[in-house]
Amino acid sequence: PLGDRSYDISIGNGNLAEVGRWVTSLRKVTHVVLISDGNVAKYYQQPVEDAIAAEGIRVTSLGVPAGEQSKSVPTAQSLWEAALADRVDRKSTVVALGGGVVGDLAGFVAATMTRGLDFFQIPTSLLAQVDSSVGGKVGINLPSAKNIVGAFWQPKGVLIDTAVLKTLPRREYLSGLAEVIKYGVILDADFFAYLEANVQPMLNRDPAVLQKIIARSCELKAQVVAEDETETTGLRAILNYGHTFCHALETVSGYGEYLHGEAVSVGMLCASRLGEKLGVFDAESTQRQAKLLSALELPVATPKLSETAILSAMQRDKKVEHGKLRFIVPHAIGKVVLTPDVPSEMALAAWREGI
Ligand code: NAD
Ligand code: ZN
């Protein structure tokens, strides 16, 4: 039911302890390298270690500092060396326990150590559960560029426990919801309507609603990825709805000012207004998104920033080809179209009108 992927996504509420049986379900595992960050390890490292050790598996637990800075060559090197020092071999399996930072980093270490180790993900942030743990992209940053060194390395499995979201800081949680809304807009109008009808349970982190929205988000992302696994046909680009504006906002405001999902929220509304200007999207649908995003306490207003800086950041974005701006433009809730050759003045007007 999850597209053509060869691995399983298991979603539950309180299913963390199944990790031991789950890593051995494919083949006998004798050694796990468990990678986590300080914030996550504090709550979940011990139960995960215990569940793995209960299957007779030796565990090497390695910690990295929380935060994007850990997606670096020096951190990857320290993990390669620590794994080697604790007798990693080609039959070892890497388990990533954490948000998108740990998933991308641990996945990269798995892809490269001894030319490739089996890899499982236990995503613990909402963003990681609905986005970064699905799709097989792993990697690290260089000081000059994000996500520039990496691989396509599919996990053997993804274990999602909605109960771990209880300890996720509120702003991080809400930020993850922006990507959930994105899936509704790009692919599934019914799902979007479900989100509109479940604002309060989402704010309360209701397990049943979380299970439903995470499962549907993973399903939708997996479908897109299955049709364009290595980003060759361009279909995967629809996942970048709102992201050209988002990346410009993140760059120009200075990383750290906006969480990623917050910038996605602002960016989706810019892309919607662009759709209105192109005559393919109606103002009422833009308003529906704004209403849902602000009900979930996400920012909807464009901040006042230099338009010159925003334009040059958009021109440096990956989706620019031959100097022309390309956007994922909504045509209706549930349908978006990759639109090349957007005049930069029109894109800036869509940005400006959100102020
Ligand atoms: P993150 O991993 O930094 O996690 C956010 C914060 O929440 C961190 O401080 C973390 O320690 C903490 N945290 C995570 N789970 C927690 C929990 N259950 N309880 C308490 N605290 C918890 O950031 P993120 O938003 O999860 O991921 C962002 C990263 O994901 C970026 O590096 C981005 O490039 C990457 N990403 C990758 C893909 C992909 O396809 N590979 C897609 C989207 C984003
Ligand atoms: Zn995103």
Side-chain angles (χ1 to χ4, degrees):
L2 291 167
D4 282 345
R5 292 163 315 88
S6 55
Y7 63 92
D8 280 319
I9 300 178
S10 158
I11 308 180
N13 179 40
N15 56 340
L16 205 57
E18 288 166 21
V19 53
R21 265 173 294 136
W22 175 74
V23 294
T24 51
S25 62
L26 288 171
R27 62 173 176 78
K28 193 158 170 42
V29 175
T30 53
H31 178 219
V32 159
V33 178
L34 176 65
I35 300 176
S36 194
D37 75 25
N39 296 340
V40 175
K42 178 169 76 180
Y43 299 107
Y44 309 111
Q45 180 174 310
Q46 194 65 52
V48 167
E49 262 179 18
D50 291 349
I52 296 173
E55 297 297 309
I57 301 167
R58 186 169 70 86
V59 186
T60 302
S61 289
L62 303 177
V64 301
E68 187 70 27
Q69 292 72 18
S70 283
K71 268 175 63 174
S72 66
V73 174
T75 312
Q77 180 174 358
S78 71
L79 292 172
W80 289 322
E81 285 172 350
L84 187 63
D86 206 26
R87 294 172 286 138
V88 75
D89 66 32
R90 298 183 93 157
K91 295 188 299 290
S92 302
T93 290
V94 172
V95 174
L97 173 67
V101 164
V102 165
D104 282 13
L105 170 69
F108 177 69
V109 166
T112 47
M113 191 83 210
T114 70
R115 297 197 179 78
L117 296 175
D118 280 358
F119 163 54
F120 288 81
Q121 293 246 40
I122 309 178
T124 61
S125 68
L126 182 57
L127 179 117
Q129 294 185 344
V130 300
D131 189 354
S132 62
S133 67
V134 185
K137 283 202 220 171
V138 297
I140 57 176
N141 306 324
L142 291 180
S144 53
K146 264 197 71 148
N147 296 325
I148 197 71
V149 175
F152 289 101
W153 194 247
Q154 294 290 352
K156 297 290 177 199
V158 182
L159 180 78
I160 297 176
D161 183 351
T162 57
V164 304
L165 296 177
K166 272 188 248 162
T167 55
L168 188 66
R170 183 171 173 83
R171 227 182 123 190
E172 295 284 351
Y173 172 73
L174 297 171
S175 174
L177 288 175
E179 300 279 4
V180 173
I181 294 168
K182 178 192 78 179
Y183 293 118
V185 180
I186 65 175
L187 287 163
D188 188 343
D190 291 341
F191 184 47
F192 187 88
Y194 175 86
L195 299 175
E196 289 178 309
N198 286 281
V199 165
Q200 204 51 52
M202 283 195 283
L203 288 173
N204 297 341
R205 309 189 200 189
D206 175 88
V209 170
L210 279 173
Q211 181 138 347
K212 154 103 190 183
I213 67 175
I214 293 165
R216 188 62 187 145
S217 297
C218 290
E219 221 165 71
L220 291 168
K221 179 160 182 187
Q223 266 171 28
V224 173
V225 169
E227 286 173 60
D228 183 16
E229 189 164 336
T230 52
E231 293 190 309
T232 41
T233 69
L235 178 73
R236 196 159 170 164
I238 69 168
L239 297 168
N240 282 324
Y241 169 56
H243 279 61
T244 299
F245 289 107
C246 159
H247 291 149
L249 172 53
E250 289 177 321
T251 306
V252 178
S253 65
Y255 282 94
E257 179 73 18
Y258 282 81
L259 293 182
H260 177 68
E262 295 169 345
V264 169
S265 176
V266 172
M268 290 193 293
L269 294 171
C270 290
S272 296
R273 285 188 298 271
L274 181 59
E276 291 178 41
K277 291 184 181 304
L278 290 164
V280 294
F281 197 56
D282 58 79
E284 194 190 321
S285 300
T286 304
Q287 281 320 305
R288 267 181 81 190
Q289 284 171 82
K291 193 175 165 212
L292 179 55
L293 291 164
S294 56
L296 295 167
E297 298 170 30
L298 285 159
V300 291
T302 306
K304 274 217 175 76
L305 293 169
S306 151
E307 286 187 12
T308 320
I310 290 295
L311 184 60
S312 70
M314 288 199 294
Q315 281 165 340
R316 281 194 307 269
D317 197 70
K318 272 184 291 198
K319 282 171 297 307
V320 177
E321 254 173 17
H322 319 299
K324 297 269 172 50
L325 292 172
R326 302 202 286 161
F327 288 89
I328 309 300
V329 173
H331 284 220
I333 300 282
K335 181 178 164 56
V336 290
V337 176
L338 174 62
T339 309
D341 296 339
V342 173
S344 54
E345 184 41 49
M346 193 185 270
L348 277 180
W351 163 271
R352 186 184 308 132
E353 281 170 25
I355 293 175

